[in-house]
């Protein structure tokens, strides 16, 4: 092996101090950049652009990229400078050994870790450790602030206006999901299942239409009234054994329409949650924890099926803020 020559920082204390200041300075700039990231995030409007010749760049994105990128770069360069100029510089030979860890191995590793700590001089030059901890801690600020871009804050009011409600309301006709032809109660036969949508869905377009379709989709079934259980509290929610339920599984939101006529069960193909439509949509099997929401229905003057109201509980899968205490449970009247 070639002769090992000492570094300047090994023989010159001033050079060692200078390298220490360089590393600490790079780490110390990171908190400033992290604060700058937060300021830019809140203060710079998204509509502001800066021009570089033929290139137009969004000022906010550019500022966020520069501050976050420079923070990571300075931490990386500082760590490299620390390792190259300040940590102990000596050659060593490490013999290979078996993969199994013995007590001797554990003792050896702990001893080496202790030696590595001493070699890093972090105990002697504590400013290195403090500045590194400060730099890494400051990077948490941009990360936390960036969480705001995950979406709007799920306040109670916002949930009630979005995922907690649908476009169903009193008097809205139940229509076939493809043709939007209204459905007459007299046209449905026992054992039939119909996929349906609210009549007012056809007035929407684009994203609004897709969003409301995902929440408002329903299935309509007709069963022999003598073969099903209708609680007194829901006696007015059906028309001669015609019942209407949400098409969206309460487990993870899959659309379901696998209908078993003989058992009155509705099966979700995703995870096999099974709901008893002949008994208020109660869960009889699978991971779903809530009964299938039922839409109160009646008929209008022309005999077409219409909604008595919107769903009385939010449709779709559960979420953390979802209040299930008012959902129907077996034994309710």
């Amino acid at each position: 092996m070639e002769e090992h020559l000492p570094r300047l920082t090994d023989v010159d204390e001033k050079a060692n101090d200078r390298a220490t200041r360089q590393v600490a300075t790079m780490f110390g700039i990171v908190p400033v950049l992290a604060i700058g990231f937060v300021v830019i995030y809140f203060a710079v409007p998204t509509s502001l652009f800066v021009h570089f010749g033929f290139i137009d760049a969004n000022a906010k994105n550019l500022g966020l990229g520069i501050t976050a990128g420079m923070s990571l770069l300075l931490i990386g360069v500082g760590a490299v400078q620390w390792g190259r100029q300040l940590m102990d510089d000596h050659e060593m030979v490490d013999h290979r050994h078996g993969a199994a860890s013995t007590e001797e191995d554990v003792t050896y590793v702990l001893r080496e870790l202790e030696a590595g700590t001493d070699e890093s001089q972090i105990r002697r030059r504590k400013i290195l450790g403090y500045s590194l901890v400060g730099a890494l801690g400051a990077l948490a600020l941009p990360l936390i602030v960036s969480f705001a871009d995950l979406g709007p804050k799920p306040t109670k009011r916002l949930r009630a206006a979005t995922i907690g409600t649908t476009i169903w309301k009193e008097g809205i006709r139940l229509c076939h999901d493809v043709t939007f032809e209204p459905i007459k109660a007299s046209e449905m036969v026992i054992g039939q299942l119909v996929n349906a949508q609210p009549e007012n869905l056809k007035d929407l377009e684009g994203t609004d239409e897709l969003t409301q379709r995902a929440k408002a989709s329903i299935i309509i079934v007709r069963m022999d009234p003598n073969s099903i259980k209708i609680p007194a509290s829901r006696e007015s929610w059906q028309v001669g054994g015609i019942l209407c339920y949400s098409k969206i599984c309460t487990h993870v939101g899959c659309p379901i329409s696998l209908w078993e006529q003989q058992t009155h069960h509705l099966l979700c193909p995703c995870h096999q949650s099974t709901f008893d439509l002949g008994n208020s949509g109660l869960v009889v099997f699978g991971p779903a924890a809530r009964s299938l929401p039922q839409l109160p229905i009646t008929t209008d003057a022309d005999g077409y099926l219409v909604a008595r109201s919107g769903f009385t509980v939010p449709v779709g899968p559960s979420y953390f803020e979802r209040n299930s205490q008012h959902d129907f449970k077996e034994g309710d009247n």
Side-chain angles (χ1 to χ4, degrees):
M1 297 180 64
E2 296 180 359
E3 180 183 0
H4 180 69
L5 300 176
R7 302 167 302 186
L8 179 61
T9 52
D10 295 332
V11 297
D12 187 344
E13 187 66 22
K14 290 185 178 180
N16 196 303
D17 291 340
R18 185 167 55 252
T20 300
R21 289 195 298 270
Q22 291 173 351
V23 174
T25 299
M26 285 186 277
F27 289 162
I29 294 175
V30 173
V32 178
L33 292 172
I35 294 173
F37 182 100
V38 176
V39 172
I40 292 172
Y41 184 90
F42 289 105
V44 178
T46 56
S47 58
L48 180 63
F49 281 77
V50 292
H51 305 282
F52 297 98
F54 61 90
I55 299 177
D56 292 334
N58 183 280
K60 183 173 185 177
N61 292 340
L62 181 63
L64 296 178
I66 290 175
T67 52
M70 287 299 298
S71 297
L72 295 173
L73 178 63
L74 287 175
I75 289 178
V77 174
V80 171
Q81 181 74 347
W82 184 353
R84 295 186 62 181
Q85 300 295 333
L86 298 172
M87 290 185 178
D88 282 355
D89 181 39
H90 62 271
E91 297 171 349
M92 60 184 295
V93 176
D94 187 14
H95 297 283
R96 294 183 179 272
H97 51 79
S101 297
T102 63
E103 292 184 5
E104 292 78 8
D105 292 333
V106 174
T107 302
Y108 169 78
V109 170
L110 293 177
R111 186 172 61 250
E112 289 299 306
L113 287 175
E114 185 69 19
T117 302
D118 293 336
E119 292 173 2
S120 69
Q121 300 193 29
I122 195 170
R123 289 173 177 163
R124 179 185 173 193
R125 301 178 180 276
K126 295 184 178 180
I127 189 175
L128 294 173
Y130 294 148
S131 58
L132 175 60
V133 171
L136 294 176
L139 281 181
L141 287 174
L143 177 63
I144 294 173
V145 170
S146 298
F147 285 156
D149 272 346
L150 293 178
K153 297 179 177 62
T155 61
K156 185 176 181 179
R157 178 178 297 180
L158 179 63
R159 297 196 308 270
T162 54
I163 60 177
T165 187
T166 68
I167 58 175
W168 284 107
K169 58 184 179 180
E170 183 180 0
I172 298 296
R173 283 182 172 179
L174 283 61
C175 297
H176 290 278
D177 63 344
V178 177
T179 63
F180 278 97
E181 295 180 0
I183 302 169
K184 275 193 173 183
S186 59
E187 295 175 350
M188 293 199 63
V189 298
I190 293 178
Q192 183 180 7
L193 180 144
V194 175
N195 293 287
Q197 296 285 351
E199 187 176 32
N200 53 348
L201 180 65
K202 64 182 179 182
D203 299 328
L204 303 178
E205 296 180 354
T207 302
D208 289 340
E209 191 272 342
L210 294 175
T211 300
Q212 295 302 331
R213 178 184 290 272
K215 297 188 298 179
S217 297
I218 56 171
I219 54 171
I220 310 168
V221 292
R222 184 162 198 168
M223 296 172 281
D224 182 355
N226 297 321
S227 65
I228 60 178
K229 179 180 178 181
I230 301 177
S233 60
R234 299 193 177 192
E235 185 64 37
S236 62
W237 289 20
Q238 53 89 33
V239 179
I242 301 176
L243 302 173
C244 179
Y245 292 92
S246 170
K247 184 184 174 70
I248 310 304
C249 180
T250 58
H251 179 218
V252 292
C254 295
I256 50 178
S257 58
L258 297 179
W259 171 234
E260 300 176 353
Q261 294 184 11
Q262 300 301 318
T263 61
H264 302 155
H265 290 172
L266 189 72
L267 175 68
C268 177
C270 292
H271 305 99
Q272 287 70 58
S273 292
T274 306
F275 305 89
D276 187 356
L277 302 191
N279 188 12
S280 303
L282 293 177
V283 181
V284 295
F285 181 79
R290 297 186 296 108
S291 58
L292 205 59
Q294 183 177 352
L295 181 70
I297 60 172
T298 184
T299 55
D300 60 16
D302 297 322
Y304 290 105
L305 294 174
V306 297
R308 280 185 173 272
S309 66
F311 284 100
T312 58
V313 295
V315 301
S318 298
Y319 45 90
F320 183 77
E321 301 87 355
R322 170 76 160 85
N323 184 356
S324 300
Q325 64 180 350
H326 299 301
D327 285 10
F328 176 81
K329 298 179 177 62
E330 191 170 10
D332 289 359
N333 295 318

